[in-house]
Amino acid sequence: MATTSAVSDDFDVFYAATVKRLVATVYAVTGDLAEAEDAVQEAYVRAWQRWSKLLAGGDPLPWVRRVALRLAISTWRRKRGRILAHFRHGPPRDVPEPTADRVALMTALRQLTPQQRQVVVLHHLLDLPVEQVAHEIGASNGAVRTRLSRARKILGERLSDREAEIEMRYEWSATGVVVT
């Protein structure tokens, strides 16, 4: 049985001997060097994950080449679909700059734990009832209510701090003192 080091060395030798030509092959098919490099790297990652089986089956290069080409073609199809949608529907609408309130809200949301942020978004932004939020995240109703309560407290503090800061800036600016 081969040692892990020997298997790794075999893969390293295979990679070094085949990567440039494989990138060139996929590049010739796609016409996009970055896309070719990404597809080839992903194909080698997948090959490494099943390296023993590939070696047992003979030459692994055809398998790696097939995977790289399929990945590149799949990406090309997704891009092509986006381009066709662009021509069909026009360019995306301009997105307005975020308001100060939105920036303050996003900043406050980032200060929550991921679990708190998740329940706030599901309950308050998507308007899901506590029971459905609990079901979707695999928690009890009580756990969701606790997370919501703690999150609301943090958001209230952070957003009221922001409001106070805005009021203070307004008061200072009204007196002619510039606050940055």
Side-chain angles (χ1 to χ4, degrees):
M1 178 169 190
T3 66
T4 304
S5 178
V7 170
S8 178
D9 290 343
D10 287 347
F11 183 82
D12 292 346
V13 169
F14 169 75
Y15 178 86
T18 59
V19 68
K20 287 182 182 177
R21 186 172 178 118
L22 187 53
V23 168
T25 301
V26 177
Y27 174 53
V29 171
T30 64
D32 184 334
L33 181 59
E35 206 52 60
E37 291 171 337
D38 287 347
V40 168
Q41 289 305 314
E42 177 62 24
Y44 279 111
V45 167
R46 292 180 184 188
W48 171 249
Q49 293 169 342
R50 54 183 60 74
W51 187 241
S52 299
K53 289 181 183 177
L54 291 175
L55 279 181
D59 182 13
L61 183 59
W63 185 92
V64 176
R65 183 175 38 247
R66 183 171 54 251
V67 169
L69 287 168
R70 284 181 179 168
L71 288 167
I73 289 168
S74 178
T75 301
W76 176 80
R77 284 181 179 152
R78 281 193 304 277
K79 281 184 178 178
R80 182 174 160 257
R82 280 188 291 245
I83 290 169
L84 289 174
H86 177 78
F87 284 122
R88 197 173 304 129
H89 303 290
R93 294 179 290 167
D94 287 336
V95 178
E97 290 293 320
T99 63
D101 289 342
R102 183 172 298 249
V103 171
L105 176 61
M106 294 308 295
T107 301
L109 282 170
R110 284 190 198 101
Q111 295 175 6
L112 299 175
T113 66
Q115 295 85 5
Q116 290 170 336
R117 193 168 39 244
Q118 183 181 29
V119 297
V120 166
V121 168
L122 292 173
H123 183 67
H124 290 293
L125 296 178
L126 296 182
D127 239 1
L128 299 179
V130 169
E131 295 75 22
Q132 188 172 351
V133 172
H135 177 73
E136 285 193 24
I137 67 171
S140 68
N141 292 348
V144 170
R145 285 188 182 93
T146 299
R147 290 177 192 168
L148 282 169
S149 174
R150 290 178 181 161
R152 285 183 195 125
K153 182 179 180 199
I154 293 169
L155 290 173
E157 291 168 357
R158 300 303 186 266
L159 294 174
S160 66
D161 290 347
R162 173 73 177 148
E163 236 176 66
E165 179 185 326
I166 290 170
E167 285 176 22
M168 186 173 70
R169 285 176 188 253
Y170 177 75
E171 289 170 8
W172 278 100
S173 65
T175 62
V177 177
V178 177
V179 179
T180 58

